[in-house]
Amino acid sequence: MITEYKNKFLQYYEKNETKLDVVVFIAGFLFDIITMSDIDDIFSIVQQIVYLGIIFSIIYFEILFRLFKWKPGPKIVRVWEYRTLVLHFFLGSLLSLYSLFYIKSASVLHSLIFLGMMLLVLFANELPGVKKSNISIKAGMFGVCLFSFFSILFPLLLGFVGWIPLLLAIAATGAVFYGMYRLLFKKIPDHYSLTKIVLAPAGSVISLFLVFYVMGWIPPIPLSVVEHGIYHNVEKQEGNYLLSSERPWWRFWQSGDQHFKARPGDKVFYYAQIYSPTRFQDQIFIQWSQLNAKGNWVAADKIPLQVVGGRKMGFRGFAFKSNYQPGEWRVQVLTTHGQEITRLEFEVESSAETEPRMFNIEKK
């Protein structure tokens, strides 16, 4: 009976593979969005390690199997025929998770190329052609997952982002692939083949991530902006922040006073709520810039802000500017190495009005 159902399932899957893969992919991605835990959740980190270990094992034995250096025993052979489904399920889960982490932490416009690459790899993992492709492509996808894991883990352990966590992530990723190479070399003493299958994909992934980092396109995980906005005043009272704005109700898509009507003596306040994990402590910068007549952004003040992690809803802080001219403005939140966490554009308009103003007060 079980064998009959299994055969029917395999026949149905072969006939509707693409449709089922799309449905499972969309369902899995939505499930990850709903159930995604905090980036520093211990259970989630352990789960990622288990997934990576399973992927490592499948790729390792797949290489031996394809080169006729290993074959599954009687107890394993029934499970072994599902190895491709299992491999791409775990690859898809990790790629989905890391893509969501990157999207959450990214200034989308600034990291569009990198996010596009991650989503492309995520979608490619679901294509039947990729599932049936050579093992080096799967090793490359494993490399993307492995590097993403380490690029998150080391900032969490060290408590800051920058070159040191990046170099450690590169070293750790390279060490895992070199360890696989050494294990395989004991049974397959073919340097050229193993380099092509194992080391080349790892080197390509590491090089690509390094280029993206130098270009400033990789989001500064684990930092992410929960919310931010432009206000007429930000005041801290009894552990809460009171945000004053004139935004009318119908401009619900704006963050505070993005259309800032400035009277003489007004200051422009920027408030941000930035998520950072427990024990995380790093410095960021609030960069003010104005658009000149030639259409170029001209940097003005750059204000440092110390971010301390541990608060569930994120660290809260603000900066203000008192010397400004009417026109188009932009605020960027940057790491010490210039990676953009987020940005917000707004307009300053001179106002000659003198009647009393009624501000909307938000408590954060």
Side-chain angles (χ1 to χ4, degrees):
M1 182 66 70
I2 296 176
T3 304
E4 182 182 350
Y5 282 120
K6 186 186 83 170
N7 292 333
K8 287 183 178 179
F9 170 76
L10 290 175
Q11 290 174 4
Y12 181 79
Y13 179 78
E14 289 176 0
K15 291 180 180 179
N16 303 274
E17 183 176 0
T18 302
K19 293 180 181 179
L20 286 174
D21 285 343
V22 171
V23 171
V24 171
F25 166 71
I26 295 174
F29 196 76
L30 293 175
F31 179 78
D32 286 336
I33 292 175
I34 296 171
T35 62
M36 185 174 67
S37 58
D38 291 338
I39 200 168
D40 59 342
D41 180 69
I42 297 298
F43 177 79
S44 177
I45 293 173
V46 172
Q47 185 181 40
Q48 292 169 56
I49 293 173
V50 172
Y51 283 13
L52 290 168
I54 293 172
I55 296 170
F56 180 99
S57 301
I58 293 175
I59 291 176
Y60 171 78
F61 285 106
E62 180 71 19
I63 293 172
L64 293 177
F65 178 75
R66 292 193 182 191
L67 296 178
F68 306 103
K69 296 295 182 179
W70 174 85
K71 63 179 181 178
K75 295 182 179 180
I76 302 177
V77 69
R78 293 181 180 179
V79 179
W80 183 247
E81 61 182 306
Y82 298 104
R83 65 191 182 281
T84 300
L85 288 174
V86 174
L87 174 65
H88 285 272
F89 171 80
F90 287 118
L91 280 173
S93 296
L94 290 177
L95 288 170
S96 176
L97 178 66
Y98 297 138
S99 295
L100 290 171
F101 280 152
Y102 282 125
I103 290 171
K104 184 179 179 181
S105 186
S107 173
V108 176
L109 290 175
H110 199 68
S111 304
L112 194 59
I113 295 177
F114 176 77
L115 293 176
M117 184 206 76
M118 285 297 298
L119 292 175
L120 182 62
V121 174
L122 176 60
F123 293 145
N125 179 64
E126 305 303 319
L127 298 176
V130 173
K131 293 183 178 181
K132 297 173 183 177
S133 64
N134 60 61
I135 194 67
S136 60
I137 293 179
K138 298 171 184 178
M141 290 184 170
F142 174 53
V144 172
C145 293
L146 194 63
F147 183 88
S148 298
F149 171 74
F150 286 126
S151 67
I152 294 171
L153 180 65
F154 284 114
L156 290 176
L157 294 176
L158 298 176
F160 59 88
V161 296
W163 275 103
I164 293 177
L166 175 77
L167 293 176
L168 288 173
I170 289 174
T173 303
V176 171
F177 272 95
Y178 184 71
M180 179 185 290
Y181 167 83
R182 294 301 304 174
L183 289 173
L184 289 168
F185 192 76
K186 293 178 180 180
K187 298 183 178 181
I188 310 170
D190 184 348
H191 174 73
Y192 175 78
S193 296
L194 292 181
T195 298
K196 184 179 178 180
I197 296 172
V198 178
L199 298 184
S204 299
V205 169
I206 289 173
S207 299
L208 194 61
F209 273 88
L210 187 58
V211 169
F212 281 141
Y213 186 85
V214 172
M215 298 299 293
W217 294 341
I218 296 182
I221 287 181
L223 295 174
S224 62
V225 170
V226 179
E227 63 174 286
H228 61 162
I230 298 296
Y231 297 93
H232 271 80
N233 188 48
V234 177
E235 185 179 356
K236 187 175 183 180
Q237 287 186 4
E238 299 178 352
N240 296 312
Y241 284 81
L242 304 181
L243 315 179
S244 303
S245 72
E246 292 185 292
R247 184 189 68 185
W249 67 267
W250 54 270
R251 286 185 174 172
F252 57 87
W253 66 89
Q254 293 189 343
S255 300
D257 288 318
Q258 282 183 258
H259 183 75
F260 191 95
K261 293 183 178 181
R263 296 187 184 184
D266 279 353
K267 297 178 181 179
V268 182
F269 284 81
Y270 173 73
Y271 167 85
Q273 193 168 316
I274 303 171
Y275 172 78
S276 58
T278 305
R279 297 184 301 277
F280 192 94
Q281 185 170 346
D282 202 359
Q283 189 176 65
I284 62 171
F285 290 93
I286 309 298
Q287 174 72 67
W288 301 80
S289 303
Q290 186 176 18
L291 192 67
N292 64 16
K294 296 181 179 180
N296 299 318
W297 289 104
V298 179
D301 298 336
K302 189 175 184 180
I303 302 169
L305 191 65
Q306 196 72 22
V307 174
V308 180
R311 187 173 180 270
K312 184 68 174 178
M313 297 304 296
F315 170 84
R316 297 165 298 173
F318 67 92
F320 65 86
K321 188 167 180 59
S322 53
N323 298 317
Y324 54 86
Q325 297 295 326
E328 299 292 330
W329 284 83
R330 180 179 72 186
V331 177
Q332 293 170 283
V333 182
L334 307 172
T335 67
T336 53
H337 295 277
Q339 289 174 285
E340 184 179 286
I341 303 172
T342 192
R343 67 170 64 183
L344 181 64
E345 295 182 6
F346 62 98
E347 178 187 2
V348 176
E349 176 188 344
S350 293
S351 175
E353 297 176 359
T354 57
E355 62 271 16
R357 293 178 287 188
M358 295 294 293
F359 291 112
N360 303 314
I361 308 295
E362 297 178 61
K363 182 186 289 187
K364 299 292 182 178

